[in-house]
Amino acid sequence: MKEIFIERHEKIVRIAVKTNGQLSECYIEEENNEPKVSNIYKGVVQNIVPSIKSAFIDIGTKKNAYMYLKGDLNTLKKGQEVLVEVIKEQSGKKGAKVTENVNFPGNYVVLSNGHKEIRFSPKIRDDKFKENAMINIHKPENIGVVIRTSAYGIQIDEINREIQTIYSIYENVAKKFTYSKNIGLLYDNDGIIGNILKGLKHENYKVIVNNLKDFNFCKEILEYKFEKVNLEIYEDAISLFNYFGIEKEILSLRNNKVNLPSGGNIVIEKTEAMHVIDVNSAKNTKKFLYEKNCV
């Protein structure tokens, strides 16, 4: 069984994953207002520079985003509202790079407003699967669907359910874009919490969060994916990680000695020039030297 613990304190989110009672993964994310890859914004075109074939777009962040223009430069006008997705984060003096081709990924499909067709991953080469999908997939009229490699061998009914789930998200974003008076973030399509929950592929899990906002966010994602939602909110005065012993497990990882299931151990020592790793077993001892800057 997999347990996912989500603890938020102000702008810091920590996520611990336990597999069969043992800590297996740990993530930390510091939230800020900077645009992240896959986030979707409502923006307004501030300027168009034909010489570099680029449009600069105010998306409500400190720096204007930019978008390369293909073909006719007159398709966008100054002051025009646009729905855009971040494809490269801002760096230095340069704002985020965005595109009007907005994508909504799932486990088996990606919905895209860049076309209105059913397309397949190049890795899917089974013509019978493709023919069956073309006939039986229920594609919304106003958006394209890309069938991912992971969809191969999956029942068409399950793929259709995911399409409807993601299309509901797309419709919600489209409504916000149309009716919202303000520019800014419409959909956080990346986020560490969303990434982990969207990757769940079975119901043998439990999610525990420590605040109502994350509870509602998790519930929305999980209800789209599963019929049964195994989700709890923790409201005790003791912190979530302390109560479930996660804090202690994380601190133990700072020790330089790691015990192995075989009975041996690994000792990691940091010197001025390198990291020294001793691998000790019942039969022999091997020493590996790693320079600090090696990849």
Side-chain angles (χ1 to χ4, degrees), residues 56-239:
F56 292 88
I57 301 165
D58 183 1
I59 58 173
T61 54
K62 291 180 180 179
K63 300 174 184 176
N64 284 344
Y66 69 96
M67 177 169 60
Y68 287 132
L69 302 176
K70 296 180 180 179
D72 187 358
L73 297 177
N74 294 321
T75 55
L76 284 182
K77 302 291 184 182
K78 186 175 180 179
Q80 180 180 338
E81 294 180 343
V82 286
L83 180 69
V84 294
E85 177 181 344
V86 176
I87 56 176
K88 186 178 180 180
E89 294 178 2
Q90 64 185 33
S91 115
K93 295 181 180 180
K94 214 170 189 180
K97 183 179 180 181
V98 298
T99 177
E100 286 189 284
N101 293 332
V102 176
N103 296 295
F104 293 83
N107 289 329
Y108 309 122
V109 300
V110 177
L111 269 61
S112 172
N113 70 349
H115 61 93
K116 295 183 180 180
E117 306 165 1
I118 296 177
R119 298 178 180 177
F120 295 87
S121 163
K123 293 183 180 179
I124 297 179
R125 296 170 183 166
D126 188 326
D127 290 335
K128 289 185 178 179
F129 175 82
K130 290 182 179 180
E131 289 173 10
N132 184 43
M134 291 295 291
I135 294 170
N136 295 296
I137 279 181
H138 302 150
K139 186 191 79 66
E141 292 183 2
N142 61 339
I143 200 165
V145 174
V146 179
I147 309 300
R148 306 180 73 170
T149 307
S150 55
Y152 183 70
I154 300 298
Q155 294 294 323
I156 294 295
D157 286 346
E158 189 170 348
I159 297 173
N160 279 329
R161 279 195 297 271
E162 183 172 89
I163 290 173
Q164 290 305 309
T165 293
I166 300 173
Y167 186 65
S168 297
I169 297 173
Y170 166 75
E171 283 188 310
N172 187 40
V173 171
K175 286 178 183 177
K176 287 181 181 179
F177 173 77
T178 301
Y179 297 111
S180 175
K181 296 180 181 180
N182 301 320
I183 60 173
L185 182 66
L186 296 179
Y187 183 65
D188 186 348
N189 200 18
D190 194 11
I192 189 171
I193 298 175
N195 275 343
I196 290 172
L197 297 186
K198 288 173 185 176
L200 294 175
K201 295 182 180 178
H202 55 76
E203 296 188 17
N204 190 21
Y205 68 90
K206 185 176 185 179
V207 180
I208 304 173
V209 302
N210 74 332
N211 71 87
L212 185 59
K213 179 182 176 182
D214 288 331
F215 178 86
N216 290 331
F217 177 74
C218 294
K219 185 178 180 182
E220 182 179 5
I221 292 177
L222 295 172
E223 282 183 339
Y224 280 136
K225 289 180 64 67
F226 305 113
E227 292 181 5
K228 181 182 177 182
V229 177
N230 198 354
L231 175 66
E232 296 180 6
I233 186 167
Y234 173 81
E235 298 178 304
D236 207 310
I238 303 172
S239 74

